[in-house]
Amino acid sequence: MMKIKFLPLWAISLIVTAFLLTSCKKELEDTTPHSLKASPRARVKATISPANSVIYVVQKGSLYAVNAKNFQDFTYLGGGYQGTAQIMAEDGFSIYTIQYGKLWVINQSTGKYKQFGNGNWTGSVGVTGVAGFVPDQGNMFAQAGDYLWRIDLNGVHHQLGGGGWSGTKALLYHRGDLFVIWKNGYLYRVNPTTGAYQELTGGWGDVKGIAEASSTGDTIYIMKGSELWKVDAYTGQSKFVAGGFRDTTAMTGVGGYLYIASNGGALHRVDLNGKRIETNLHYSGVTAMVGVQGAFD
C-alpha cells in the first residue's frame, strides 16, 4: 500500500498566505483606477471625419486638425503659424485667427487661408465667437488698442461701447454674451450689441485660458495658474474643479469636454469634474487651440 506523505504545517501556512496575498492584489488592481497612458501620436496623415469633434491645434508654428476623442488621427494643414494669438474662432467651415496684427480665415479642410477684413489687431489675445453670424449683425469679437470690436460678415470691424479695454488678458463669446478678463484680474460680462458691461468677480490675474465646454449651459471655465475653475456665467460665482495643470499654454472646449495643453507638452481631454480622460505627450509647443463640434457628438 502506497504511503501518503503530508506537507508540514509550516509549508501549508506559506501556501495559504501566498494565495491570499495574490487574491488581495488582484482585487486591488481590479478596483483601483489605472494611471493614464500616453497614446502614440499617429505618424501619417489621416482623414478627419466631420462626424467627430476636431481640435485645431497650432503646434510649433504648424496647424493640425486632431481627432478630439483619440488624439491620434490628425491632418497637417500647413506651417507659418508662428505668433498666432492664443484664442481662435470657428464657424464649422473655417478657422479664424489673429497673427502679426491681421485677422485670417482658414479653410478647415484644406488649410488655405486669406486675410479677413483690414483691421489692425496688433497685441490682441485673439478672436472669439461663432462666425455663423446673426443676420446683419455679426458676432465675432476681438480687442485691440483701447477698444472691444465686433466683426461683421464682411470682416469689417465696429467699435463696441466705450474705451478702456487696453490690457485685456482673455475673452470668450458664450451664449450671446462676451466675457472679458481685464488686466485688473476682474471678469466682465459685456453686451455684444451695446458694449454695456457688468463686473462679475475678481481674482483672475493669473489667467492662462478661458473656454466653454458646450455652447449650452450657464458655465464657463477659467484656468488660473495651474488650477481649473468653473464660473457661473450670470452670477460670477466660481468653484474649484481640479489642479495640476502647470504651464498651461492653451485651452478650448467642445462636446462637453475641455482640452488643455499643459505640463510641458501634454494635451489633455478633461471631463467637467476635472478628470483627465485622455492624455497625449506629443504636443509640446502648443500655442493656440479651438474645438469644432462633430455632427454626431
Side-chain angles (χ1 to χ4, degrees):
M1 182 175 179
M2 182 179 293
K3 185 176 180 181
I4 299 174
K5 294 183 178 180
F6 294 95
L7 291 173
L9 288 176
W10 65 267
I12 294 174
S13 299
L14 284 177
I15 292 172
V16 171
T17 302
F19 174 78
L20 290 175
L21 287 174
T22 302
S23 299
C24 291
K25 181 177 184 292
K26 184 179 186 303
E27 182 179 353
L28 182 62
E29 289 175 344
D30 289 342
T31 57
T32 303
H34 293 283
S35 59
L36 288 170
K37 295 181 179 179
S39 55
R41 183 173 169 190
R43 298 300 178 185
V44 296
K45 182 176 179 179
T47 301
I48 298 297
S49 169
N52 299 321
S53 291
V54 176
I55 307 299
Y56 287 83
V57 176
V58 176
Q59 180 190 24
K60 297 180 180 179
S62 294
L63 179 65
Y64 298 89
V66 180
N67 186 307
K69 286 190 174 180
N70 64 26
F71 290 166
Q72 296 182 43
D73 304 328
F74 75 97
T75 299
Y76 171 74
L77 292 174
Y81 288 89
Q82 292 86 355
T84 298
Q86 184 192 63
I87 301 169
M88 301 191 291
E90 57 84 22
D91 63 3
F93 303 97
S94 302
I95 299 295
Y96 296 81
T97 184
I98 289 175
Q99 182 180 9
Y100 300 134
K102 296 180 180 180
L103 176 60
W104 304 88
V105 55
I106 307 161
N107 184 291
Q108 289 182 12
S109 300
T110 66
K112 292 183 178 180
Y113 59 88
K114 62 181 179 180
Q115 188 174 344
F116 190 64
N118 60 357
N120 179 2
W121 304 107
T122 301
S124 176
V125 295
V127 58
T128 186
V130 180
F133 305 101
V134 175
D136 302 322
Q137 179 183 345
N139 62 346
M140 281 205 307
F141 303 90
Q143 178 274 326
D146 204 37
Y147 299 96
L148 298 173
W149 303 89
R150 177 176 59 84
I151 303 165
D152 68 20
L153 280 164
N154 301 309
V156 178
H157 54 286
H158 308 269
Q159 182 179 318
L160 181 61
W165 293 105
S166 176
T168 290
K169 300 298 184 182
L171 71 169
L172 172 71
Y173 181 79
H174 174 72
R175 294 195 66 191
D177 287 306
L178 182 63
F179 295 87
V180 180
I181 297 179
W182 194 48
K183 61 185 178 182
N184 63 353
Y186 274 81
L187 173 67
Y188 297 86
R189 185 173 67 240
V190 181
N191 184 300
T193 302
T194 66
Y197 61 89
Q198 176 187 0
E199 181 181 289
L200 292 179
T201 184
W204 306 109
D206 193 22
V207 61
K208 301 296 184 181
I210 185 170
E212 62 177 16
S214 171
S215 58
T216 62
D218 300 333
T219 303
I220 62 175
Y221 295 83
I222 298 175
M223 186 67 70
K224 180 177 72 171
S226 61
E227 299 176 347
L228 179 64
W229 292 74
K230 64 180 181 180
V231 180
D232 187 295
Y234 294 94
T235 67
Q237 292 182 340
S238 59
K239 184 178 180 180
F240 174 77
V241 177
F245 297 99
R246 59 179 178 80
D247 302 322
T248 295
T249 57
M251 181 170 76
T252 190
V254 70
Y257 293 94
L258 295 168
Y259 297 84
I260 302 169
S262 65
N263 304 106
L267 179 59
H268 308 285
R269 180 161 67 105
V270 179
D271 71 13
L272 302 189
N273 295 314
K275 181 180 178 181
R276 304 178 194 194
I277 303 298
E278 184 80 23
T279 293
N280 193 305
L281 302 180
H282 294 274
Y283 284 91
S284 62
V286 171
T287 53
M289 294 193 298
V290 65
V292 177
Q293 180 73 45
F296 303 111
D297 286 352

